[in-house]
Amino acid sequence: MPQFNPEYFAPQLVWLVITFLALYLLMSRLILPRINGILAQREDRIDGNLQRAEALKEEAAQVLAGYQKAIADARAQAQAALAKAAADIAAETAAREAEFARKMADQTAAAEAGIRAAKTRALADVRGIAGEVAAMMAGKVADTSVDANAAAEAVDSVMKERT
């Protein structure tokens, strides 16, 4: 193998140095600046994406806070509407119950007045009938004729004694 022959070591070392310097210059002047530019672009793009993501995260947090506030407001409004409806229903129910109680009191008073009037008529009729019956019975028992007015007065006096 000629590479291991000592007489070729010097030219190989010269060419090694020349090739190394050429590759070093090529790498340092052309390739590494391009690679550094690409890496800088990537880093800038990643930083921009991170900033946009942070901004979107903050915006999402604000939207979420607004949504939660809207839900809380809607719940409060619903509770207020429910309480108002319950109060309206209770007031309407109380008004209907009061109206019903008033009507029932009126009907009860009218019925009681009718009962008192019927009782008064019945008592008047009973006195008249009792007077007639007393006059008839006295006429049959005693075989005499009794005046209807006298019999009515006798019934009235007995009823007064009893009451």
Side-chain angles (χ1 to χ4, degrees):
M1 288 184 105
Q3 300 95 322
F4 296 119
N5 191 353
E7 83 182 58
Y8 296 117
F9 279 166
Q12 285 180 358
L13 286 176
V14 170
W15 282 110
L16 175 68
V17 170
I18 292 172
T19 306
F20 178 76
L21 288 175
L23 285 175
Y24 178 76
L25 289 175
L26 180 69
M27 290 292 284
S28 66
R29 302 272 188 235
L30 295 175
I31 296 175
L32 287 179
R34 287 182 186 173
I35 291 174
N36 283 337
I38 291 170
L39 290 176
Q41 285 176 352
R42 283 185 181 177
E43 188 175 340
D44 290 343
R45 190 174 343 131
I46 289 171
D47 288 341
N49 287 342
L50 287 174
Q51 289 173 354
R52 274 188 276 140
E54 188 67 32
L56 288 175
K57 181 180 176 184
E58 290 175 9
E59 183 180 341
Q62 290 174 351
V63 168
L64 179 62
Y67 173 72
Q68 289 173 343
K69 184 181 181 297
I71 287 177
D73 291 345
R75 282 185 182 154
Q77 288 175 352
Q79 290 294 330
L82 183 63
K84 183 182 181 297
D88 291 347
I89 289 170
E92 185 177 336
T93 302
R96 285 183 180 177
E97 286 177 357
E99 178 67 22
F100 180 74
R102 187 188 58 76
K103 285 181 181 178
M104 291 307 294
D106 291 347
Q107 288 178 355
T108 302
E112 286 176 353
I115 290 171
R116 278 192 298 271
K119 182 179 177 183
T120 304
R121 282 191 309 270
L123 284 176
D125 289 345
V126 165
R127 284 185 181 154
I129 292 172
E132 290 174 10
V133 168
M136 256 195 296
M137 287 189 58
K140 285 193 177 184
V141 168
D143 248 354
T144 63
S145 109
V146 178
D147 183 28
N149 287 335
E153 286 178 14
V155 168
D156 283 341
S157 67
V158 169
M159 288 181 85
K160 283 181 185 177
E161 286 177 11
R162 299 239 175 199
T163 59

